[in-house]
Amino acid sequence: GAGVSQSPSNKVTEKGKDVELRCDPISGHTALYWYRQSLGQGLEFLIYFQGNSAPDKSGLPSDRFSAERTGGSVSTLTIQRTQQEDSAVYLCASSPVGGGTEAFFGQGTRLTVV
Amino acid sequence: AQKVTQAQTEISVVEKEDVTLDCVYETRDTTYYLFWYKQPPSGELVFLIRRNSFDEQNEISGRYSWNFQKSTSSFNFTITASQVVDSAVYFCALSEVRLRGGADGLTFGKGTHLIIQP
């Protein structure tokens, strides 16, 4: 596809379970970002990948959150031992380079922890 | 630390009215980028504009216009002759540029929910 693709679009999980969210960026985009959008918190930056550089993890809220990007393309965001406060829409974005270029967003994964 | 403030949580106007969405930012850097994104009910964030900190020229694109003023750290967005299809949440965002060539992620404001009534 031409845009950023995220899967699943919706995920309901029980508290304490682990979840994996997937992001397929636009082909050729070197920069990839994860954000979280929740009521009352707006859009929060989570993590940033740029090429082969070490990722910027400064936005990850706890050590239950991790992300990887394989082969400079697909990224997976993993949340371990989910809590109810993890319920949110998780948005992925990619851009051709970093440094303030336009970021293209996917439609997000809506995570509900029950 | 960087911060973006959108003081207007919700604005409601009647179609064809002009409306301005305010954005005020804070940053210690001299080089940065400012953005506006639109999030319609479908949920996907749609890029509207990017402006770098060295370019204070105002920009007009159709019914949309942006007023960047470094002196007041503001980057306001005006929709002229609003239409029902403009109804959405609008986010202002800031990105700083690190020396190593990467960028911090976008710091978003909390958004302004714009409602255009027919």
Side-chain angles (χ1 to χ4, degrees), chain A residues 12-91:
Chain A
V12 179
T13 190
E14 292 181 353
K15 179 181 172 181
K17 296 282 177 89
D18 298 351
V19 294
E20 284 189 354
L21 313 180
R22 177 187 168 105
C23 173
D24 278 282
I26 293 173
S27 178
H29 281 192
T30 59
L32 186 147
Y33 308 80
W34 283 98
Y35 293 86
R36 177 170 72 175
Q37 185 175 24
S38 50
L39 285 175
Q41 295 296 324
L43 277 152
E44 301 171 85
F45 165 73
L46 297 178
I47 188 168
Y48 161 57
F49 295 90
Q50 170 60 359
N52 295 320
S53 300
D56 175 358
K57 305 178 182 180
S58 59
L60 294 178
S62 78
D63 58 9
R64 295 187 296 104
F65 287 72
S66 62
E68 62 178 23
R69 188 179 184 191
T70 54
S73 181
V74 172
S75 177
T76 303
L77 176 68
T78 301
I79 309 173
Q80 296 177 308
R81 305 181 303 281
T82 52
Q83 304 294 314
Q84 286 186 330
E85 62 262 28
D86 299 334
S87 296
V89 176
Y90 290 82
L91 291 162

Side-chain angles (χ1 to χ4, degrees), chain B residues 27-60:
Chain B
T27 177
R28 292 173 299 183
D29 282 12
T30 55
T31 303
Y32 52 89
Y33 295 87
L34 295 164
F35 301 78
W36 276 94
Y37 280 86
K38 174 182 180 179
Q39 188 175 42
S42 60
E44 188 169 344
L45 280 160
V46 177
F47 167 83
L48 294 178
I49 190 171
R50 178 189 67 188
R51 177 53 47 87
N52 76 54
S53 51
F54 297 108
D55 182 3
E56 287 193 70
Q57 265 195 329
N58 291 329
E59 182 156 340
I60 299 174

Side-chain angles (χ1 to χ4, degrees), chain B:
Chain B
Q2 57 212 44
K3 182 179 178 182
V4 176
T5 302
Q6 294 179 256
Q8 303 148 311
T9 305
E10 183 174 291
I11 300 175
S12 180
V13 300
V14 177
E15 198 172 21
K16 297 183 184 175
E17 285 185 20
D18 298 349
V19 58
T20 295
L21 310 182
D22 297 333
C23 174
V24 175
Y25 63 91
E26 295 176 29
T27 177
R28 292 173 299 183
D29 282 12
T30 55
T31 303
Y32 52 89
Y33 295 87
L34 295 164
F35 301 78
W36 276 94
Y37 280 86
K38 174 182 180 179
Q39 188 175 42
S42 60
E44 188 169 344
L45 280 160
V46 177
F47 167 83
L48 294 178
I49 190 171
R50 178 189 67 188
R51 177 53 47 87
N52 76 54
S53 51
F54 297 108
D55 182 3
E56 287 193 70
Q57 265 195 329
N58 291 329
E59 182 156 340
I60 299 174
S61 176
R63 295 184 297 106
Y64 295 170
S65 62
W66 291 269
N67 184 349
F68 176 30
Q69 293 194 352
K70 287 181 77 170
S71 60
T72 55
S73 297
S74 66
F75 187 43
N76 296 338
F77 172 33
T78 298
I79 301 175
T80 303
S82 59
Q83 300 177 1
V84 172
V85 294
D86 296 327
S87 297
V89 180
Y90 290 85
F91 290 94
C92 181
L94 167 72
S95 175
E96 294 173 338
V97 180
R98 294 181 178 172
L99 291 176
R100 67 181 172 96
D104 289 336
L106 292 164
T107 297
F108 285 87
K110 291 197 180 296
T112 297
H113 184 197
L114 178 63
I115 301 167
I116 310 296
Q117 299 178 8

